[in-house]
Amino acid sequence: MLKPRFQVLARHASLRARSLATTNASRSIRRATTTLLLGGTSAALAAYFLLPDISRGAPTCDNIPLSPSHFTPAKIVSSTYASSGTKMLTVAIPPELLPKESDLFAPIWSVFIKDDDIQVERPYTPLDGVDEDGNMRFWIKKYHHGEVSRWLHSKKVGETIEIRGPLKTWSWNDNAWDEIILISGGTGITPFYQLLRTVFSGNSSFHGRITLLHSSRIPSELPPPEVLDPLLKLAQHNPERFKLKLFVDSLSETNGKSCIDLEMHKGRIGKDSIRRALYSTSCLPWWRGLFSRDSEDSDRKILFLVCGPEQMVEAIAGPYGRNYSQGPIGGVLRTLGYKSHQVWKL
């Protein structure tokens, strides 16, 4: 049995612990809705990466609707060279094989394409989703060590490949955020193109603001006109709702690419460029910025989506976790005071 004075101390410690638990619980409730939304997607992705690879045993079916559980033959209907080392590839499946559930194609989703030669699959995001004729358009970069990307670059119009999906990579919600900052590098812009196309199609009730910060090594590696021009027009026609900012490491190499009409920022996406992209910060008088705190927006309904090369993702939002789970928040966004429920790495 405890001595009287230790009993008093024990009771005090117990009350203090209960008080802290209540405070922490109330703080957690404020973020519960967004956390559950992001957590559901995280669980789905973790399940995919942690479960055994089903692609090796998945059958090929040409008479039942497209599904993640099997491969569906798709014919290449267009293949054209785009910007440096990339191709615009359009594939088509028979319209009758499209799933009837329209919510399956809500952004952001992808399909897996299988290299038949070595039985390896990789995920790719259709730029425009899928149309009523079963067409899907992809912007694909060929990597030296990328088995599937090199295989796809070798395919000719009329040949058949196999795909499975759709698989949700992130779930859009019209009313969850007031402001969204999209940060991409290279072909990491493709899921954001798909998202923006849906948001500004006229069928979305989202009325917040979106800013896309995109980075490429040199101007000639920027997205091709098929990708970039629609985004530039979108920004021009919706100046209060969408802004596009392009960044390049160097302006010296263009490889013949015309950049006369493009406004580009030299340098990488960093702390200052992200802060300037935020609507609340950009609307402040210049002198307020001298005294504002980095974390002043950390509790607002702001979301950051980041997609690109791993080094870029890590510098902006911290490294991925095991098996490409979200991992801890780090990088620039952590120094700005943002939390895990405000950041998602694609």
Side-chain angles (χ1 to χ4, degrees):
M1 177 176 289
L2 294 173
K3 294 181 180 180
R5 64 173 180 171
F6 288 111
Q7 290 177 339
V8 172
L9 290 173
R11 283 197 298 271
H12 178 75
S14 176
L15 291 173
R16 176 62 176 167
R18 291 178 184 175
S19 174
L20 288 173
T22 301
T23 301
N24 290 334
S26 64
R27 289 174 179 171
S28 299
I29 289 173
R30 291 181 299 175
R31 298 182 174 91
T33 302
T34 305
T35 301
L36 284 173
L37 178 63
L38 297 180
T41 306
S42 180
L45 287 174
Y48 170 78
F49 285 111
L50 292 174
L51 290 175
D53 182 7
I54 68 172
S55 66
R56 298 181 187 277
T60 298
C61 304
D62 59 3
N63 58 356
I64 57 177
L66 182 71
S67 166
S69 64
H70 62 259
F71 288 100
T72 299
K75 181 174 289 188
I76 298 177
V77 298
S78 175
S79 178
T80 58
Y81 285 100
S83 55
S84 178
T86 70
K87 262 191 173 185
M88 297 297 299
L89 195 72
T90 302
V91 305
I93 65 171
E96 61 270 19
L97 297 185
L98 291 175
K100 303 302 181 184
E101 304 89 341
S102 59
D103 61 322
L104 293 177
F105 297 113
I108 298 171
W109 60 274
S110 62
V111 296
F112 282 83
I113 300 178
K114 182 176 68 173
D115 179 343
D116 290 333
D117 295 338
I118 58 175
Q119 298 296 300
V120 171
E121 64 172 9
R122 291 292 182 267
Y124 292 94
T125 303
L127 287 162
D128 312 293
V130 59
D131 65 20
E132 59 185 8
D133 296 320
N135 294 305
M136 303 180 198
R137 188 169 62 118
F138 302 88
W139 180 39
I140 297 176
K141 180 178 178 63
K142 181 170 69 173
Y143 293 95
H144 180 67
H145 297 292
E147 298 92 346
V148 179
S149 66
R150 287 188 285 108
W151 180 79
L152 283 172
H153 270 245
S154 71
K155 306 305 284 184
K156 303 292 191 297
V157 172
E159 293 186 313
T160 298
I161 63 174
E162 295 183 354
I163 65 176
R164 69 179 183 90
L167 290 107
K168 193 74 68 179
T169 52
W170 181 77
S171 296
W172 168 255
N173 185 323
D174 280 342
N175 303 309
W177 300 280
D178 299 320
E179 184 173 4
I180 300 175
I181 307 295
L182 310 174
I183 303 174
S184 63
T187 54
I189 198 174
T190 56
F192 300 151
Y193 185 101
Q194 185 191 99
L195 174 63
L196 291 165
R197 183 181 181 277
T198 301
V199 170
F200 289 96
S201 66
N203 298 320
S204 172
S205 61
F206 176 74
H207 296 294
R209 296 172 180 271
I210 300 179
T211 300
L212 171 56
L213 308 178
H214 178 77
S215 176
S216 292
R217 192 174 61 90
I218 54 177
S220 62
E221 294 182 0
L222 286 168
E226 296 93 328
V227 176
L228 199 55
D229 287 355
L231 296 178
L232 292 169
K233 290 179 181 178
L234 197 63
Q236 181 181 1
H237 296 156
N238 302 273
E240 298 300 318
R241 295 185 59 203
F242 175 61
K243 295 186 182 300
L244 171 63
K245 296 186 178 181
L246 303 173
F247 296 79
V248 291
D249 294 347
S250 171
L251 291 167
S252 60
E253 297 181 42
T254 62
N255 292 344
K257 185 180 183 73
S258 176
C259 302
I260 298 176
D261 298 327
L262 292 179
E263 180 182 353
M264 291 178 288
H265 304 270
K266 183 179 178 180
R268 298 185 178 182
I269 300 171
K271 181 177 179 180
D272 291 339
S273 52
I274 291 175
R275 291 205 65 216
R276 285 194 295 268
L278 291 165
Y279 173 69
S280 59
T281 304
S282 62
C283 290
L284 288 175
W286 67 268
W287 54 270
R288 286 282 302 278
L290 298 176
F291 305 100
S292 61
R293 297 172 55 192
D294 285 344
S295 59
E296 64 181 359
D297 291 323
S298 60
D299 288 325
R300 291 181 61 232
K301 292 172 65 177
I302 298 176
L303 177 69
F304 293 86
L305 297 179
V306 187
C307 185
E310 284 190 44
Q311 289 184 339
M312 189 204 89
V313 173
E314 182 172 348
I316 298 295
Y320 290 104
R322 184 179 180 183
N323 296 312
Y324 284 92
S325 59
Q326 286 298 292
I329 300 303
V332 174
L333 294 180
R334 182 178 179 180
T335 65
L336 288 172
Y338 293 99
K339 310 299 182 185
S340 60
H341 68 285
Q342 297 173 298
V343 179
W344 187 257
K345 309 165 195 173
L346 279 76

